[in-house]
């Protein structure tokens, strides 16, 4: 076996921490998220939402596959570092093209997305020559090559055809990952490919959630700096920070810490499903950042129906993703979270009759209630010495 190629592969169950280069790569995601939420705030329409969604799905998949790569391969090795830098440059190019990703910058956005995935797979196949893991990289190359063709064709199309083709390509990417990238005669990737130490990947998902929450601070802060500091606008700005802290409490301080322990018990389950649950949560954060920009821009007056959708889609998506994550970790969903979700859905139509700042205050109170219920549940579990972690299936 090629010893140089073997040195790239991490030992199974080997405890690893995220490297500084991985954290450096995450900075590109900051730029992409800021562009998405800013674009959504500028165009609170179905078209704007579609563009933000397609952009998020594409950029998030780059991050997810890159995180999975550094969980399997040593990020301190040169070939993996080259793959990280290439993914970062590609993400930055896509972030720059994002405001017109479905328009005049579609060629840059689409071809860069293909180049990142195909280039990563080709680099791994070359670096892993003579190692069994080379076959695994070939699975990725086959699937990303197939969907890449749809991306390239989409760059040459116009109107509704482009988002349809890109949407199909993204759907195939997401489904193929869940099916372990099967190939004729070879089947899917072995479960052992996912059955690794949970320390590294659990830490990576915590870090990217913090990065995403940073977007919820960055975007409204920039908007606030460009406006007059009136009392009501200042109140709205402080409210944005309070909501961000509550989201941190709901996710990071509780579920984010638990994921590592669960990963150590059954890592393959969380490795395979965490990209989907976290995508929903990050979608919610992007929508909330756009809503924060809107409410700071105009905190008083009537609330347009499109704004209400943006305001409430954020927390609803976040809580839906958090509930799905809770089910994946604990094999249950708390009734209180379902109740709060129904409350948000039921009250959303009424918010067209109140100013934007009041709608945002209502959402903050709901998130505060969720955080309080979570804290009480955790306190009762500790008092009763009840371990909240599920048994290994």
């Amino acid at each position: 076996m090629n010893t140089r190629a073997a040195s790239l592969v991490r030992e199974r169950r080997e405890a690893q921490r995220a490297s500084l280069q991985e954290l450096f790569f995450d900075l590109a995601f900051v730029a992409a998220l800021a562009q998405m939420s800013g674009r959504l705030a500028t165009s609170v329409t179905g078209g704007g939402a579609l563009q933000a969604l397609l952009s998020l799905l594409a950029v998030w998949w780059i991050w997810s596959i890159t995180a999975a790569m550094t969980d399997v391969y040593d990020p301190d090795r040169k070939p993996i570092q080259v793959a990280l830098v290439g993914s970062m440059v590609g993400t930055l190019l896509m972030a720059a093209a994002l405001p017109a990703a479905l328009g005049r910058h579609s060629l840059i956005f689409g071809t860069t997305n293909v180049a990142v995935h195909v280039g990563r797979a080709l680099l791994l196949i070359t670096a892993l020559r003579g190692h069994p893991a080379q076959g695994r990289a070939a699975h990725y190359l086959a699937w990303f090559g197939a969907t890449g063709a749809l991306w390239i064709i989409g760059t040459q199309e116009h109107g509704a055809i482009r988002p349809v083709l890109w949407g199909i390509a993204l759907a195939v990417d997401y489904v193929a990952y869940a099916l372990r990238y099967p190939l004729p005669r070879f089947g899917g990737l072995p479960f052992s490919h996912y059955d690794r130490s949970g320390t590294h990947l659990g830490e990576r998902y915590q870090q990217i959630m913090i990065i995403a929450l940073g977007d919820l601070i960055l975007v409204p802060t920039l908007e606030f700096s460009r406006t007059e500091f009136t009392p009501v606008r200042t109140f709205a700005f402080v409210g944005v920070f309070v909501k961000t802290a509550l989201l941190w409490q709901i996710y990071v301080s509780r579920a984010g810490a638990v994921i590592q322990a669960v990963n150590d018990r059954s890592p393959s389950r969380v490795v395979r499903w965490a990209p989907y649950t976290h995508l929903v949560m990050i979608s919610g954060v992007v929508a909330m950042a756009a809503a924060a920009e809107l409410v700071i821009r105009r905190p008083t007056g009537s609330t347009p129906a499109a704004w209400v959708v943006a305001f409430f889609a954020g927390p609803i998506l976040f809580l839906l993703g958090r509930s799905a994550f809770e089910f994946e970790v604990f094999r249950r969903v708390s009734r209180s979270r379902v109740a709060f979700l129904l409350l948000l859905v039921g009250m959303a139509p009424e918010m067209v009759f109140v100013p934007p700042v009041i709608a945002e205050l209502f959402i903050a109170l709901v998130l505060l209630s969720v955080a309080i219920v979570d804290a009480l549940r955790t306190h009762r579990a500790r008092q009763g010495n009840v371990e909240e972690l599920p048994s290994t299936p």
Side-chain angles (χ1 to χ4, degrees):
M1 182 185 295
N2 188 332
T3 55
R4 186 173 182 180
S7 67
L8 295 178
V9 183
R10 286 179 164 177
E11 294 294 329
R12 289 179 59 191
R13 299 291 183 171
E14 178 185 359
Q16 295 285 351
R17 302 299 300 273
S19 68
L20 291 177
Q21 188 149 351
E22 289 175 273
L23 299 177
F24 182 59
F25 162 67
D26 289 349
L27 295 178
F29 204 67
V30 175
L33 287 177
Q35 287 277 52
M36 290 173 206
S37 51
R39 172 65 178 169
L40 186 58
T42 302
S43 179
V44 192
T45 62
L50 175 63
Q51 178 163 310
L53 176 61
L54 289 176
S55 302
L56 177 58
L57 288 171
V59 174
W60 172 249
W61 210 234
I62 289 179
W63 186 92
S64 297
I65 299 300
T66 303
M69 177 191 71
T70 55
D71 194 54
V72 176
Y73 307 107
D74 188 350
D76 291 328
R77 300 293 179 178
K78 288 298 181 184
I80 309 306
Q81 290 180 345
V82 171
L84 277 171
V85 171
S87 297
M88 183 176 186
V89 172
T91 303
L92 288 172
L93 281 173
M94 292 173 70
L98 197 148
L102 293 178
R104 66 184 186 278
H105 293 156
S106 62
L107 183 62
I108 290 292
F109 190 88
T111 55
T112 301
N113 180 65
V114 175
V116 169
H117 289 299
V118 173
R120 183 201 303 113
L122 287 173
L123 188 151
L124 287 175
I125 288 175
T126 303
L128 293 167
R129 186 181 298 111
H131 192 279
Q134 186 182 41
R136 302 173 190 172
H139 282 250
Y140 284 86
L141 178 61
W143 279 97
F144 282 121
T147 57
L150 292 175
W151 277 94
I152 298 301
I153 294 172
T155 63
Q156 304 304 310
E157 298 293 341
H158 301 281
I161 299 178
R162 179 177 295 151
V164 168
L165 289 174
W166 287 4
I168 292 172
L170 287 165
V172 171
D173 281 338
Y174 278 72
V175 172
Y177 180 87
L179 297 177
R180 298 180 290 120
Y181 292 109
L183 289 178
R185 297 178 55 191
F186 297 99
L189 294 174
F191 283 103
S192 59
H193 182 74
Y194 303 91
D195 191 19
R196 314 188 70 84
S197 170
T199 304
H200 171 262
L201 207 57
E203 189 175 78
R204 292 296 288 131
Y205 277 103
Q206 290 185 66
Q207 289 163 351
I208 201 62
M209 281 302 300
I210 293 175
I211 290 291
L213 292 177
D215 180 54
L216 191 47
I217 293 177
L218 173 64
V219 171
T221 298
L222 293 176
E223 179 64 25
F224 189 47
S225 68
R226 295 190 289 262
T227 59
E228 184 181 353
F229 285 26
T230 63
V232 66
R233 188 172 282 123
T234 303
F235 176 80
F237 178 72
V238 173
V240 170
F241 174 76
V242 170
K243 288 195 302 179
T244 305
L246 290 171
L247 294 182
W248 178 89
Q249 177 66 28
I250 293 169
Y251 173 81
V252 178
S253 68
R254 189 167 180 268
V258 172
I259 190 174
Q260 292 183 6
V262 176
N263 269 339
D264 290 334
R265 293 183 174 202
S266 183
S268 63
R269 190 180 76 211
V270 178
V271 168
R272 291 175 62 198
W273 296 111
Y276 306 105
T277 56
H278 285 70
L279 167 65
V280 178
M281 283 186 276
I282 288 177
S283 300
V285 173
V286 170
M288 292 179 72
E293 181 174 339
L294 292 173
V295 73
I296 290 172
R297 185 185 306 164
R298 185 172 65 76
T300 57
S302 61
T303 305
W307 285 31
V308 171
V309 173
F311 287 3
F312 280 78
I316 288 172
L317 285 171
F318 185 88
L319 291 179
L320 280 174
R322 177 58 178 81
S323 297
F325 177 63
E326 178 181 350
F327 179 79
E328 192 58 44
V329 173
F330 300 120
R331 290 306 189 198
R332 67 169 188 267
V333 176
S334 63
R335 289 189 296 271
S336 62
R337 186 148 303 124
V338 175
F340 287 125
L341 274 168
L342 293 176
L343 177 62
L344 286 170
V345 172
M347 290 298 296
E350 305 300 322
M351 294 299 132
V352 295
F353 303 108
V354 300
V357 69
I358 299 300
E360 286 294 273
L361 176 61
F362 173 77
I363 292 170
L365 291 175
V366 172
L367 293 177
L368 176 62
S369 301
V370 173
I372 290 174
V373 171
D374 282 352
L376 290 174
R377 186 185 301 115
T378 302
H379 177 72
R380 287 197 299 268
R382 290 173 179 171
Q383 290 292 101
N385 294 320
V386 176
E387 185 181 22
E388 287 202 283
L389 297 178
S391 58
T392 303

